[in-house]
Amino acid sequence: MTDDKTIPARAADILPLRPRRPCPICGKDSQREAYPFCSKRCKDIDLNSWLSGRYAIPAVESEESDPVVDDDGEDR
């Protein structure tokens, strides 16, 4: 006899932790194996966009408020 608790749950019985969203590359439904993309192909397209510099995180240069001054009055 087998105990029902020892039988692993089927993938269809497992509730998803994330809501389904469209693939950011092609718009098809995302798949669990490639989340948030629909396939490995779309994952690779996105990776290539990052590596080729098509995507970039904007940087804001901050102005230094006061230059550092040595004891002898020279700027560093």
Side-chain angles (χ1 to χ4, degrees):
M1 289 187 186
T2 61
D3 188 10
D4 289 337
K5 294 179 183 178
T6 60
I7 299 172
R10 295 180 311 166
D13 295 336
I14 298 172
L15 295 175
L17 297 177
R18 305 178 191 115
R20 286 199 169 215
R21 297 195 176 165
C23 174
I25 302 298
C26 69
K28 293 180 184 176
D29 285 339
S30 61
Q31 298 298 317
R32 174 178 271 177
E33 298 82 28
Y35 192 83
F37 304 100
C38 67
S39 64
K40 183 176 179 339
R41 179 181 179 272
C42 284
K43 279 178 90 167
D44 291 342
I45 290 170
D46 185 68
L47 177 61
N48 183 48
S49 295
W50 279 106
L51 295 176
S52 66
R54 195 170 316 144
Y55 296 154
I57 298 173
V60 178
E61 299 281 336
S62 63
E63 296 179 20
E64 292 184 357
S65 57
D66 293 325
V68 177
V69 178
D70 287 340
D71 292 337
D72 57 356
E74 293 182 21
D75 289 346
R76 280 199 282 175

